[in-house]
Amino acid sequence: MTYPFSAVLGMADMRLALLLNAVSPAIGGVLVRGEKGTAKSTAVRALAALLPPVRRVAGCRFACDPAEPDPACPDGPHPADAAAETHPARLVELPVGAAEDRVVGSLDLEKALGEGVRAFEPGLLAAAHRGVLYVDEVNLLHDHLVDLLLDAAAMGRSHVEREGVSVSHAARFLLVGTMNPEEGELRPQLLDRFGLTVEVGASRDPAVRVEVVRRRLAADADPAGFAARFADADAEIAGQVAAARRRLPGVRLPDAALRQIAEVCAAFDVDGMRADIVTARTALAHAAWYGRDRVTIDDVRVAARLALPHRRRRDPFDTPGLDEKRLDEALQRAQDAHPDDPDDDGPDDGGPDGGDPQGGGPDGEGPQGGGPDGNGGPDGDGGPNGGGPSGPAGGGPQRNAVDGHGFGERGADGPGSEGGGADDPGSEGGGAGGWPHDGDRRPTGGRPNGVGDDDPTSAPSGDGSGGRVAVPRGGLRARLLTAPGVGDGVPGRRSRARTGRGRTAGARVPNGRVGALHLPATVRAAAPHQASRGRSTGPLRLRPGDVREAVREGREGNLVLFVVDASGSMGARQRMTAVKDAVLALLTDAYQRRDKVAVIAFRGADARTLLPATSSVLAASTRLAELPTGGRTPLAEGLLAAADLLRVERLRDPKRRPLVLIVTDGRATAGTRPLDRAAGAAAVLAASGAACVVVDCESGPVRLNLANRLALQLRAPRRRLDDLVADPQPPTRGDLGRNTPSQGHSSSKIYTGGATADRGDR
């Protein structure tokens, strides 16, 4: 049984964003970002029960509305007097491993080619029409599938075109995605396609946490009884959603509000016009939710807080967030520019008659005396035992702990905080044995080893947390590194691989469902049998064994493992800065090429996995900014830690090929017989079959060339640190006409196979 929506404690921003999309699906969906275990999936699954029931044509697989059927429906045309049936709004969940055919639908290729019949099997997009499409861990979904989802959500239709056969059907749904940023970020282009984004985090208030556990245990022990306790609160919220939908067409957007929206979007320098449009739609829905007949400055402020943070992100080292002081300043500028505007008379305190709609106004006093989402519980208690913090779902957002505005649950401790504000654990500092806490998942304000704010490889995180992330020096680009051979990994942009997308390299007999049809090979396979099948004229006679699918070769994403020497020999300020610059440029390259990344650092007496395999380049840069240096050089431990991590990742993701970048000067000084142990560890790593590159960080007039020896032991190429990155600069007059490679050509390839260790060294 579904957990009741009104029983979800806290998470007011998330509940508000979900409900505003339920009022106006044209907003474009919600992306919920946050740490694991914060009721993201629970709230989304509970939302579908609050939506009005759907009337559809009886027997239509595409849920056509009897009052306005889709003229292009594959099951149509439907007669005007077609029988109708009523069903609850449907929640469709899209699994991370879903294939493209499962998402958009599939064609029966044998019938299409042999009989000329257009037989279409609907996919998840058709099933979600007029309901909710929920994608958990949307950041782990392949980019081309995310593109398909967002295109369908934006256009309201899904188009399937394969081998000359075209099918189109309506696909209007409320799109909700959830993700844990530690597992990787979405590209900014995809982030922009989500209407709203909210950050969630677990409460640090013990009383709230106690009540969350109490409710969860009660729901597990008696699901039906627990749902009955909150049935009235859920029914009231559902009624409010239906009322707000009816009210929405009559809500007015005055010119003053439009100017405020434009001023805010310009102030935050967002790209394009989608931000302005989404903010306007959200403000209209927010006004309708409160029972107002026109948009006010409070509606614009709340809409901007939900619609703009993720649109500020331009590159992988930008963190989503919104400076609320800048937001207020932009709104004030818009008011000051038109002080006598008759449409702008300040914020409303209630509905069109000045009252509080349905008992839930900006003060967050929702139905039954609790929070506006029903969080007051059936007994109407406002505290943790009766509902905890008030939220948005039934009347209004909770007052902000900082400035008093109704913004949802965003206290003085930053995004996702619900009060309490426990301090984040900091780094233990530098020194030979100091490492950042293993459990720390957030950037901290501390700088190890005395690295100050003027460090050229670090910058504020941008989300108001006071933390720092490492950022690459402007213009620095990495040259392309690839794994040797042809793989079978997930689509990406690095190494050659047989994938479902790319150029056609051959044909094969399909194993299971047919992927992309290879038409010439299918015809060639069927041609010798036409006489025996009785064909003299007419269409080609096909059998299932004739069908051939295309083998396509494209590019795959790899696991790029950084093994970084953080010992005392690397601790010189200038050298470590150069290393961070190079690694950050390589991290940016990994982000653009859809790789996973992992970071191991070795110093003192051991090696630490600073970041397990993840798609989050931002997390990697944060760990790099906090990396302390000092102590001896346990090279053997670093190499063995890399071999162990690769062994585990092969079990988790066997098709993703690794690429190991060992960033060191080649010294080994820790433990007994360090050079011999390092040679043995190198043999273990080489035996794993992973493609390796030794990045030589040694500098100065006197060089020991120890990194070259390590490269020979690994049977890997050695590259100088300055060979892997380049500053794109225009050629000087003296360079014009010379046959020299451009320093800034980021696509220069360095293949990691072969036994030549010094390839390209000067």
Side-chain angles (χ1 to χ4, degrees):
M1 184 169 290
T2 303
Y3 194 89
F5 189 86
S6 56
V8 177
L9 277 175
M11 313 304 169
D13 278 354
M14 175 178 67
R15 297 196 308 266
L16 177 60
L18 291 172
L19 288 163
L20 291 181
N21 270 270
V23 171
S24 176
I27 289 172
V30 186
L31 177 63
V32 183
R33 300 162 42 91
E35 59 197 35
K36 51 189 174 291
T38 49
K40 299 186 297 293
S41 301
T42 299
V44 174
R45 293 188 176 103
L47 176 68
L50 305 180
L51 300 180
V54 174
R55 280 179 56 81
R56 65 186 189 187
V57 175
C60 179
R61 298 176 296 167
F62 300 88
C64 281
D65 186 349
E68 193 177 353
D70 179 13
C73 176
D75 283 357
H78 300 296
D81 58 349
E85 54 191 13
T86 302
H87 293 271
R90 188 171 181 183
L91 172 69
V92 175
E93 299 191 36
L94 192 152
V96 171
E100 183 175 337
D101 286 352
R102 183 73 185 96
V103 176
V104 301
S106 58
L107 298 170
D108 190 327
L109 296 177
E110 296 175 24
K111 288 186 177 181
L113 293 174
E115 304 175 21
V117 176
R118 187 174 67 178
F120 180 71
E121 183 65 29
L124 296 177
L125 294 182
H129 179 46
R130 305 174 69 196
V132 179
L133 180 60
Y134 171 47
V135 188
D136 193 13
E137 298 180 323
V138 64
N139 52 325
L140 303 184
L141 202 64
H142 292 167
D143 282 353
H144 72 283
L145 291 181
V146 180
D147 281 327
L148 287 173
L149 292 178
L150 296 174
D151 283 341
M155 296 186 298
R157 298 198 69 81
S158 175
H159 300 276
V160 183
E161 297 187 12
R162 295 181 59 186
E163 287 77 38
V165 180
S166 177
V167 174
S168 175
H169 64 84
R172 295 186 298 275
F173 47 81
L174 195 166
L175 177 62
V176 183
T178 58
M179 59 175 280
N180 183 349
E182 293 179 3
E183 298 172 342
E185 291 283 357
L186 280 173
R187 289 184 289 136
Q189 296 89 336
L190 297 179
L191 276 175
D192 183 59
R193 301 289 295 276
F194 278 96
L196 309 179
T197 295
V198 292
E199 297 273 350
V200 296
S203 173
R204 300 299 186 261
D205 184 350
V208 175
R209 298 175 75 96
V210 166
E211 180 62 19
V212 168
V213 175
R214 181 181 291 119
R215 292 191 180 189
R216 183 73 260 181
L217 294 178
D220 292 342
D222 183 9
F226 185 79
R229 286 175 52 196
F230 292 89
D232 290 342
D234 269 12
E236 187 166 355
I237 298 172
Q240 292 176 344
V241 170
R245 281 189 172 187
R246 293 191 298 270
R247 191 180 300 123
L248 181 62
V251 178
R252 187 164 52 92
L253 183 65
D255 287 345
L258 275 175
R259 281 191 291 270
Q260 292 161 3
I261 291 170
E263 184 74 36
V264 168
C265 292
F268 286 100
D269 195 26
V270 295
D271 292 333
M273 295 298 298
R274 184 177 284 118
D276 303 64
I277 296 170
V278 171
T279 304
R281 288 172 173 167
T282 306
L284 286 165
H286 191 263
W289 177 251
Y290 275 91
R292 293 190 277 266
D293 62 354
R294 66 180 180 84
V295 172
T296 69
I297 190 172
D298 279 348
D299 299 318
V300 174
R301 181 182 285 110
V302 173
R305 286 194 58 256
L306 297 174
L308 297 186
H310 58 298
R311 293 187 165 89
R312 292 180 53 257
R313 193 165 184 263
R314 292 290 188 2
D315 62 55
F317 302 104
D318 288 341
T319 54
L322 198 69
D323 187 333
E324 304 227 5
K325 182 178 179 181
R326 287 179 61 192
L327 173 61
D328 289 336
E329 289 173 352
L331 291 171
Q332 188 62 50
R333 281 196 301 271
Q335 285 186 299
D336 292 344
H338 302 274
D340 300 324
D341 195 315
D343 285 329
D344 186 12
D345 55 0
D348 269 356
D349 291 327
D353 56 356
D356 208 9
Q358 304 188 34
D363 293 330
E365 297 176 357
Q368 303 183 19
D373 56 354
N375 262 354
D379 300 325
D381 297 332
N385 293 332
S390 58
Q398 183 190 15
R399 289 285 181 177
N400 186 293
V402 178
D403 56 17
H405 293 296
F407 284 167
E409 243 171 302
R410 185 184 176 99
D413 297 294
S417 174
E418 300 170 25
D423 294 335
D424 291 334
S427 171
E428 293 179 0
W435 289 93
H437 286 298
D438 290 341
D440 186 13
R441 286 288 186 264
R442 301 177 186 174
T444 65
R447 305 290 300 139
N449 266 10
V451 179
D453 291 347
D454 59 343
D455 185 356
T457 62
S458 69
S461 64
D463 58 2
S465 66
R468 305 189 70 81
V469 295
V471 295
R473 186 157 47 88
L476 204 62
R477 296 182 63 86
R479 301 187 189 275
L480 173 60
L481 299 172
T482 64
V486 180
D488 294 289
V490 298
R493 295 183 177 179
R494 183 172 297 277
S495 304
R496 293 175 56 200
R498 291 176 289 270
T499 65
R501 303 167 70 87
R503 67 180 184 87
T504 300
R508 65 187 174 194
V509 176
N511 182 18
R513 174 175 290 193
V514 180
L517 178 71
H518 195 293
L519 186 58
T522 300
V523 172
R524 286 196 299 268
H529 307 289
Q530 295 307 295
S532 62
R533 294 172 184 172
R535 174 182 176 268
S536 57
T537 59
L540 195 68
R541 296 190 178 183
L542 295 176
R543 298 292 183 269
D546 300 330
V547 176
R548 299 292 185 269
E549 68 178 1
V551 176
R552 291 180 172 172
E553 184 175 300
R555 295 280 172 176
E556 68 178 356
N558 297 107
L559 168 61
V560 181
L561 170 57
F562 294 90
V563 184
V564 182
D565 184 349
S567 63
S569 63
M570 301 286 292
R573 175 67 174 268
Q574 186 175 4
R575 180 182 293 188
M576 201 60 195
T577 297
V579 168
K580 286 186 177 182
D581 271 336
V583 173
L584 289 167
L586 292 165
L587 280 171
T588 303
D589 184 66
Y591 168 82
Q592 294 168 343
R593 300 186 185 281
R594 315 293 185 261
D595 296 317
K596 280 189 172 181
V597 295
V599 180
I600 291 174
F602 56 95
R603 60 187 289 264
D606 61 353
R608 295 282 183 93
T609 300
L610 299 185
L611 185 72
T614 177
S615 298
S616 177
V617 173
L618 180 61
S621 67
T622 301
R623 296 304 178 87
L624 193 65
E626 299 171 347
L627 178 63
T629 59
R632 294 183 175 273
T633 309
L635 179 59
E637 283 71 16
L639 299 177
L640 291 175
D644 288 342
L645 186 146
L646 294 179
R647 176 179 53 81
V648 173
E649 288 304 316
R650 279 198 178 94
L651 298 176
R652 294 177 176 172
D653 195 353
K655 290 188 176 182
R656 188 181 291 270
R657 294 190 292 165
L659 181 60
V660 184
L661 304 183
I662 305 166
V663 186
T664 181
D665 57 10
R667 288 178 171 84
T669 60
T672 58
R673 302 176 61 190
L675 293 177
D676 291 341
R677 290 193 305 108
V684 172
L685 182 57
S688 71
C692 299
V693 176
V694 177
V695 182
D696 188 356
C697 301
E698 192 173 31
S699 59
V702 179
R703 303 187 181 187
L704 302 178
N705 288 325
L706 296 175
N708 185 53
R709 179 180 60 185
L710 175 62
L712 290 171
Q713 293 166 346
L714 289 168
R715 299 189 293 277
R718 174 176 70 94
R719 304 299 300 179
R720 295 284 301 279
L721 184 64
D722 51 5
D723 288 340
L724 288 182
V725 295
D727 292 297
Q729 298 173 349
T732 63
R733 183 181 299 274
D735 291 330
L736 295 177
R738 294 182 183 176
N739 187 20
T740 56
S742 169
Q743 283 188 320
H745 197 285
S746 63
S747 63
S748 300
K749 296 182 180 179
I750 302 174
Y751 295 96
T752 61
T756 304
D758 287 340
R759 185 179 305 134
D761 285 346
R762 297 178 178 85

